[in-house]
Amino acid sequence: MMISGHAGELENKAPTSWAEGRSAAFTMRDFWTAAFFHRRVVLLAALLPILVGIFACLVTKTEYTASSLLLVMVNREVATQNVTDSGPSVLSIEGLKQVESEVQIIESADVIRDAIAQIGLERLFPTGRLSFLRDLVPSGISPMDRAVERFRKNMRTTVLSGSNIVQVSVSNPNRDLAIEATDELVKAYLAYRRKIFENPTANILMVEVERFKRDLTATDNEIESLKRKAGVIDFAQDAVLAANQVDGIVQRQRQVAERKVAVAAQLEKAEQEMQALPETVFDFAQKSNASGNDDDRNILTRLLVERDRLLSQFTPSSPQVREVEQKIDTVRKTMGAPDPRLYATNRDVRNPAISYMNNMVLSLRVELDALSRQEAELNEQKQQAQGRVATLQGVETRLTELNRQRETLSEGYREYLRRAVAANVEETASKVRASNVRVVEAAGAAVTSRSMALPFLAAGVFGGLLFGAAAGAIASALRTGFITPMEVERLLGLPTLAEFADGRAPFQTVAAETAIGGLATLLLDSELDGRPLRAFHFLSQERHPDVPVFCQRLAEEFAIQRGLRTLLIDLSEPAGAHRADDGVEARGGLTIARTPVPLLWSVADSERSPLLSVRLPMVEGQRMMKELEDQFDAIIISSSASVASSVKHRLNRLVDANILIVRAEETRKAAALRLRADVLESGGVLMGFVFMGRKYYVPGWIYRIS
């Protein structure tokens, strides 16, 4: 399994950036792997519910349920269940309430106790083998009360949806006993129902009706007497009229007062003006030179006009024209006579304003007297209207109290009268009240059986699955190691570079050869800051023989298959494990020796190598690593946290890429997290991890279908 990536990208991103791009969902393969890995725990947890289900399946008995149907007739002809309800109020909702009340009566303790007494306590609930243990502990509960509770658990009373049918059923392992118990329960219910409805109340209610009637009549008489005394027909209307009358009189008084003041002011001013007027006034003076009755010029003008008209019609010598000419001459002679005597006229008259002012003063005096009389009349009317208002105010409190009392008495009278009628109907129908509930179906006609064997068995199997899944989940949550590479990816946020199966020779298989070749290609194709990677540090938490073998095989892949000058530095063994051989030379602060494999060198003595000294400065270490990279095409360093802890922090930073080694079921999660944190804290670049020792617990056909 190979996942390609670039070390440069891993350096610039957060440790969880790759994990964010991956799907962290829990797959079916993860489920099957965890289930088969913890199969013992899962089987043990699942076995307990399954055994309980099998035991319940074997010991359970068949329950017989006998059902009886009762019809509750709800109509206007049948009286209701209490005296407060009348026929007209029995509607659909009231009918449902009545049916529910019948159900409560059936489930009452008295009805159940009567039914148990008819059947027999020992016959219905026989004594069990372990009942003596219950008797040893005194509980203070009588056997009958305990039987009532057991009977309620075995019975069921339901109202069929949308109807007035009540279904009464009783369950018992004995079929005949279930039928008998249901029948006795119905009989006890009908008998108890007849008994509770025998409650005569009509006479008591009629006494209350008569009392309310007398009180109501007395209140009505008192109201009529009070209205007659106060002269009230309709109190609300009379009060409004009285208030309006007072308001109208006040408005008129204000108008009369304003007019009286205005008339008095006019009268005073008119008298002052009249005293200042003169008795006589000069009318006119005329002088004229015209005589009286002097109309000659007008007559002359008319004659001249007449002459012109006649000349247009007759000749100048005609008699008509001559006659007009004579008249004209006569008028002219008269006008030529001397002027008459001149006339002169002087005229004095009595002052007309005095008469006008006298009339005005007289009119104002009359109006002022009328306004005074009107004001007196309005004051008298106001006193009468205010007296009417005071009378109505005095009557209002008593009349309101009487009306309130009358309404209360009237409502009580109607209510008690309605109850009395309903009670009379109840008493009339009490002897045949059982006809209101009828048995539609007897208990023996509908008997059903139910066996819980299969449900208990199914519940056991289902509970086994749930318990097994829960046990597997808990075991997986408490597990400290890894079993699949996906768990490492989700926890560390790193990609899987290669994985190897567990076995005697895990690196000798074809799959291992392919995985090593793919890993070599991935490492050589990766780049850091635009340059190919040269130095690789394989870091494991614990020492294991497979780690040096894996690094040896990877170095051989670089040297033999890729033709690269490769240096292998194995620090996973304790100090002194490497011995110097022939052909030892010093390069880049390391004592190295050629191996039998062409183009492959390894460290001959790690104790005397300056690069692996804990006292070496970082600058000098970077220089030595640069020298090694110039001489070798690939450098593979293998170390473990327990052996190379003194120099691993420097190596994490000096190499181009750090690769973690994780072993299935051996590397703990906390250790892997700590190893990853050490690399990141030392400034190293994490490229991914190699998963070793993987075991396949799930059969292959399940892998294929999942």
Side-chain angles (χ1 to χ4, degrees):
M1 177 179 179
M2 308 294 293
I3 300 178
S4 61
H6 295 286
E9 296 177 356
L10 294 174
E11 183 183 21
N12 296 328
K13 295 183 180 179
T16 59
S17 62
W18 178 88
E20 294 175 356
R22 297 278 295 181
S23 174
F26 190 79
T27 63
M28 284 301 299
R29 283 194 175 187
D30 297 332
F31 170 77
W32 287 117
T33 302
F36 277 91
F37 180 77
H38 301 287
R39 56 186 176 274
R40 292 183 179 85
V41 177
V42 171
L43 291 177
L44 182 62
L47 189 60
L48 181 60
I50 293 176
L51 292 178
V52 173
I54 294 174
F55 177 76
C57 175
L58 295 177
V59 300
T60 186
K61 297 180 180 179
T62 302
E63 289 283 340
Y64 294 93
T65 302
S67 301
S68 180
L69 298 181
L70 303 179
L71 174 63
V72 181
M73 294 184 297
V74 181
N75 48 46
R76 299 180 185 271
E77 287 75 17
V78 179
T80 56
Q81 66 271 20
N82 54 53
V83 299
T84 60
D85 294 329
S86 64
S89 66
V90 179
L91 303 177
S92 59
I93 297 178
E94 296 296 331
L96 295 177
K97 291 182 179 179
Q98 182 177 351
V99 175
E100 186 66 25
S101 300
E102 300 296 337
V103 172
Q104 298 298 326
I105 295 175
I106 296 173
E107 296 178 350
S108 63
D110 293 335
V111 174
I112 297 176
R113 189 177 292 109
D114 293 342
I116 295 175
Q118 291 294 328
I119 301 172
L121 179 60
E122 295 297 332
R123 183 166 172 262
L124 185 61
F125 300 111
T127 303
R129 296 178 180 178
L130 302 178
S131 59
F132 69 94
L133 297 177
R134 183 182 65 243
D135 298 335
L136 295 177
V137 181
S139 60
I141 302 176
S142 63
M144 179 57 73
D145 293 338
R146 190 180 296 109
V148 170
E149 293 298 326
R150 292 183 62 183
F151 194 90
R152 279 179 175 171
K153 294 178 181 179
N154 295 335
M155 69 172 290
R156 184 180 180 185
T157 307
T158 57
V159 180
L160 299 185
S161 178
S163 68
N164 54 344
I165 298 293
V166 179
Q167 183 181 24
V168 182
S169 59
V170 178
S171 300
N172 196 280
N174 190 334
R175 185 178 185 277
D176 297 334
L177 194 57
I179 297 174
E180 183 180 357
T182 305
D183 290 337
E184 292 298 335
L185 180 63
V186 173
K187 292 178 183 179
Y189 155 67
L190 294 176
Y192 188 76
R193 188 173 181 274
R194 284 192 297 268
K195 182 175 66 174
I196 63 175
F197 280 121
E198 294 177 358
N199 187 19
T201 56
N203 294 332
I204 300 175
L205 293 176
M206 287 304 299
V207 172
E208 293 296 324
V209 169
E210 293 297 330
R211 184 179 65 82
F212 272 102
K213 185 177 180 180
R214 290 193 302 270
D215 294 343
L216 186 60
T217 302
T219 304
D220 289 338
N221 294 335
E222 187 175 357
I223 291 174
E224 292 298 329
S225 176
L226 183 62
K227 285 185 177 181
R228 192 182 304 110
K229 181 179 179 180
V232 176
I233 299 176
D234 186 355
F235 179 80
Q237 186 175 1
D238 289 346
V240 173
L241 291 176
N244 292 338
Q245 185 177 8
V246 173
D247 183 68
I249 292 173
V250 171
Q251 296 294 333
R252 293 179 60 190
Q253 282 182 333
R254 292 174 180 174
Q255 295 174 1
V256 169
E258 293 176 359
R259 182 58 184 166
K260 186 177 180 181
V261 172
V263 170
Q266 290 178 0
L267 179 60
E268 181 181 0
K269 185 66 176 177
E271 289 177 349
Q272 293 177 0
E273 293 293 335
M274 186 178 65
Q275 292 176 2
L277 292 176
E279 290 293 333
T280 61
V281 294
F282 175 73
D283 191 6
F284 64 88
Q286 181 180 10
K287 290 181 180 181
S288 175
N289 58 356
S291 301
N293 295 326
D294 187 7
D295 196 22
D296 295 339
R297 291 185 180 279
N298 294 333
I299 295 173
L300 179 60
T301 301
R302 286 194 297 270
L303 290 175
L304 291 175
V305 172
E306 180 66 18
R307 187 187 63 179
D308 292 338
R309 185 181 67 78
L310 292 176
L311 287 176
S312 64
Q313 296 177 358
F314 302 98
T315 59
S317 60
S318 63
Q320 293 85 350
V321 175
R322 287 199 301 273
E323 181 180 359
V324 172
E325 289 288 348
Q326 291 176 1
K327 291 179 179 181
I328 291 171
D329 293 337
T330 301
V331 171
R332 286 178 176 175
K333 290 178 182 180
T334 302
M335 292 175 63
D339 293 334
R341 183 173 57 86
L342 298 177
Y343 293 91
T345 304
N346 290 325
R347 185 179 179 182
D348 292 329
V349 297
R350 190 173 183 274
N351 193 350
I354 294 177
S355 299
Y356 174 76
M357 295 300 292
N358 285 330
N359 293 333
M360 180 181 292
V361 169
L362 180 61
S363 176
L364 291 175
R365 287 177 179 174
V366 172
E367 185 177 0
L368 183 61
D369 182 67
L371 290 174
S372 299
R373 294 175 181 272
Q374 184 179 4
E375 187 176 13
E377 180 64 23
L378 288 176
N379 289 331
E380 184 177 356
Q381 292 181 4
K382 181 180 179 182
Q383 292 178 359
Q384 295 177 358
Q386 289 177 348
R388 178 63 175 170
V389 171
T391 301
L392 292 177
Q393 288 177 350
V395 176
E396 178 184 8
T397 302
R398 181 58 181 166
L399 190 60
T400 302
E401 182 181 355
L402 291 175
N403 286 328
R404 187 184 302 112
Q405 183 178 356
R406 184 183 183 282
E407 291 177 0
T408 304
L409 293 174
S410 178
E411 183 179 356
Y413 175 76
R414 288 194 300 268
E415 180 67 21
Y416 273 91
L417 182 61
R418 183 178 65 84
R419 293 185 181 184
V421 174
N424 191 17
V425 174
E426 283 192 19
E427 291 182 3
T428 304
S430 61
K431 296 181 181 180
V432 292
R433 182 58 65 93
S435 61
N436 190 25
V437 177
R438 299 180 182 180
V439 179
V440 178
E441 183 179 74
V447 180
T448 59
S449 61
R450 183 185 63 175
S451 177
M452 295 298 294
L454 291 180
F456 283 153
L457 182 60
V461 174
F462 183 70
L465 294 177
L466 292 181
F467 272 65
I474 294 174
S476 298
L478 298 178
R479 177 167 39 84
T480 60
F482 303 99
I483 58 176
T484 61
M486 292 299 297
E487 294 180 346
V488 186
E489 291 180 355
R490 283 193 290 265
L491 182 64
L492 302 183
L494 298 175
T496 305
L497 303 182
E499 67 175 62
F500 300 94
D502 192 19
R504 293 181 178 273
F507 303 105
Q508 302 299 326
T509 61
V510 178
E513 293 289 341
T514 304
I516 291 175
L519 177 59
T521 303
L522 174 63
L523 297 178
L524 294 176
D525 290 343
S526 300
E527 295 181 352
L528 179 62
D529 296 334
R531 63 180 182 83
L533 303 182
R534 295 288 186 87
F536 307 98
H537 183 201
F538 291 88
L539 181 62
S540 62
Q541 179 63 30
E542 64 282 336
R543 292 181 297 172
H544 196 276
D546 289 344
V547 177
V549 176
F550 162 71
C551 294
Q552 179 70 27
R553 293 299 306 275
L554 182 61
E556 292 175 357
E557 176 70 20
F558 284 150
I560 299 174
Q561 303 297 335
R562 311 303 171 111
L564 301 177
R565 294 170 57 85
T566 306
L567 174 61
L568 176 61
I569 304 174
D570 186 6
L571 302 179
S572 60
E573 297 296 332
H578 300 281
R579 298 181 180 275
D581 298 328
D582 296 337
V584 174
E585 55 182 335
R587 293 185 184 181
L590 292 176
T591 303
I592 61 176
R594 184 183 295 273
T595 64
V597 181
L599 300 179
L600 179 60
W601 286 263
S602 64
V603 175
D605 190 356
S606 59
E607 292 183 350
R608 294 181 296 177
S609 299
L611 181 61
L612 303 178
S613 175
V614 296
R615 297 179 179 85
L616 182 68
M618 180 59 67
V619 177
E620 186 66 19
Q622 291 176 352
R623 184 191 63 78
M624 291 181 181
M625 182 60 67
K626 182 64 172 60
E627 181 180 350
L628 291 176
E629 290 179 354
D630 293 339
Q631 296 180 10
F632 296 97
D633 298 324
I635 301 173
I636 299 177
I637 303 175
S638 173
S639 66
S640 62
S642 59
V643 177
S645 59
S646 58
V647 297
K648 68 177 182 179
H649 293 288
R650 184 191 304 119
L651 294 177
N652 293 339
R653 187 173 180 181
L654 291 177
V655 297
D656 295 334
N658 293 275
I659 302 171
L660 303 183
I661 303 295
V662 180
R663 285 199 58 81
E665 302 181 28
E666 296 182 11
T667 304
R668 295 180 298 107
K669 296 180 180 179
L673 288 173
R674 182 56 187 170
L675 196 61
R676 170 180 170 273
D678 289 343
V679 175
L680 296 178
E681 289 173 359
S682 61
V685 178
L686 266 176
M687 188 174 182
F689 68 93
V690 176
F691 195 76
M692 293 184 178
R694 181 178 183 182
K695 297 179 182 179
Y696 296 91
Y697 306 96
V698 184
W701 63 273
I702 295 182
Y703 266 120
R704 288 191 294 270
I705 64 176
S706 60

